[in-house]
Amino acid sequence: MSKITISAVVAFLLILAVVPFSRAALNAHYYDQTCPQAESIIFQTIRNASIYDPKVPARLLRMFFHDCFIRGCDASLLLDSTPGNKAEKDGPPNVSVRSFYVIDDAKTKLEKACPRTVSCSDVLAIAARDVVAMSRGPWWHVLKGRKDGRVSKANETINLPSPFSNTTTLIQSFAKRGLNVKDLVTLSGGHTLGFSHCSSFSARLQNSTDTSINSEFAMSLRKKCPLQNKDRNAGEFLDSTSAKFDNDYYKRITMGKGVFGSDQALYGDDRTKSIVDSYAKDEKLFFTEFAASMVKLGNVGVIEDGEIRVKCSIVN
């Protein structure tokens, strides 16, 4: 066997080792024949919900991340708990995940148009793309053909990335899902949409050894999140243009104004700092890379032996 052939085999085996989950082939045109109106139905549902509630885009994008990071992109996050099982959506990191009704509404309409055809996991993947595009971010072709999982366990949500994580922990967490250092920094840019309650970052405000945070910014956060905070709704937007998908998140990190310790840590590590700088300077580059990383994330944990749920909150 030639050296070139051996190298090719080794490279292929390495790819299999890095991405062990993706067993099913996805296709951008998966529903072209069976449900050509699927993406239009999902888009209209999400647009209407977002007009009614501006928090919907950030919530659905976060929902997609949290689903794909546990058991892969199989809509296990959408399943309700049962008397015999506490599901992912009731795990501690997901208690604040909201707007499941939007996905349920889209799925109800899809069942009327194309019964038992479009999986809940595909609805969520398309929804994540649409909320980014609607927020003036990039658009990409969503690969489709996922099946829905039948297992959802709250205790597995401990494996979700934490706002308190350091960069090494984050890199390891992403690597387990076949995502590299650039994917980590790129997908973290999803924080350009959204809001965080004090509980996710207030600990670092009391840490006098954390010099990574801008002192004036820390002071403003302490006013919003005092030690004896009684306002459960108190918190901070994750960037200054929280309803618009842009690169302001990265600009703020370069100024020491990352809300989460995990966000600011990206600028204090040589493995990630230069990527943060490049996105802070070039929004178009960030958009291109974000679309690519979202497609990659959407391939994590795709299963062939699942089902197409009729209702996203319960197994068939």
Side-chain angles (χ1 to χ4, degrees), residues 72-272:
C73 308
D74 67 345
S76 53
L77 175 58
L78 307 184
L79 287 170
D80 285 341
S81 293
T82 64
N85 178 67
K86 189 176 181 181
E88 283 175 39
K89 66 168 60 172
D90 293 319
N94 287 331
V95 171
S96 59
V97 176
R98 298 282 187 273
S99 298
F100 291 102
Y101 72 91
V102 182
I103 302 299
D104 291 338
D105 188 20
K107 178 60 173 170
T108 298
K109 291 173 182 174
L110 287 166
E111 282 302 306
K112 289 180 180 177
C114 322
R116 296 178 179 268
T117 303
V118 184
S119 67
C120 296
S121 44
D122 276 347
V123 174
L124 189 50
I126 294 166
R129 186 272 314 277
D130 287 350
V131 296
V132 169
M134 283 191 300
S135 304
R136 291 184 278 177
W139 188 95
W140 60 92
H141 285 289
V142 174
L143 303 181
K144 298 169 284 287
R146 297 167 188 79
K147 295 294 188 294
D148 300 325
R150 301 183 183 92
V151 178
S152 182
K153 296 183 179 297
N155 59 9
E156 293 182 352
T157 59
I158 193 173
N159 295 313
L160 283 167
S162 161
F164 310 106
S165 296
N166 59 38
T167 305
T168 295
T169 301
L170 291 171
I171 289 173
Q172 291 170 347
S173 177
F174 275 64
K176 287 177 182 177
R177 292 151 179 88
L179 302 168
N180 61 30
V181 174
K182 186 161 77 169
D183 294 317
L184 159 62
V185 181
T186 306
L187 293 172
S188 295
H191 286 165
T192 183
L193 299 179
F195 175 88
S196 172
H197 293 103
C198 296
S199 58
S200 293
F201 61 84
S202 56
R204 66 189 298 240
L205 303 179
Q206 316 308 326
N207 182 3
S208 58
T209 62
D210 186 352
T211 57
S212 65
I213 190 168
N214 177 284
S215 57
E216 290 183 7
F217 183 57
M219 192 180 299
S220 72
L221 291 181
R222 288 190 192 99
K223 290 179 181 178
K224 294 178 180 180
C225 303
L227 274 173
Q228 304 300 324
N229 179 35
K230 296 180 180 179
D231 182 2
R232 290 186 177 182
N233 295 317
E236 175 72 0
F237 288 105
L238 298 181
D239 82 5
S240 59
T241 56
S242 61
K244 181 185 177 187
F245 195 95
D246 56 19
N247 67 339
D248 185 62
Y249 161 84
Y250 297 104
K251 292 178 180 178
R252 291 178 68 80
I253 288 177
T254 65
M255 296 184 288
K257 296 181 178 181
V259 177
F260 292 153
S262 57
D263 288 338
Q264 194 58 53
L266 298 176
Y267 205 59
D269 193 298
D270 289 340
R271 294 168 292 182
T272 50

Side-chain angles (χ1 to χ4, degrees), residues 48-78:
N48 292 340
S50 300
I51 291 171
Y52 174 76
D53 181 0
K55 296 176 182 177
V56 164
R59 288 173 170 176
L60 296 189
L61 183 57
R62 183 177 180 224
M63 193 183 295
F64 180 66
F65 284 140
H66 281 221
D67 179 55
C68 291
F69 258 76
I70 305 298
R71 293 186 170 268
C73 308
D74 67 345
S76 53
L77 175 58
L78 307 184

Side-chain angles (χ1 to χ4, degrees), residues 271-292:
R271 294 168 292 182
T272 50
K273 183 177 185 293
S274 62
I275 307 173
V276 173
D277 276 329
S278 66
Y279 292 160
K281 294 172 184 174
D282 190 341
E283 185 176 80
K284 187 176 180 181
L285 173 65
F286 165 50
F287 280 15
T288 300
E289 297 295 348
F290 187 83

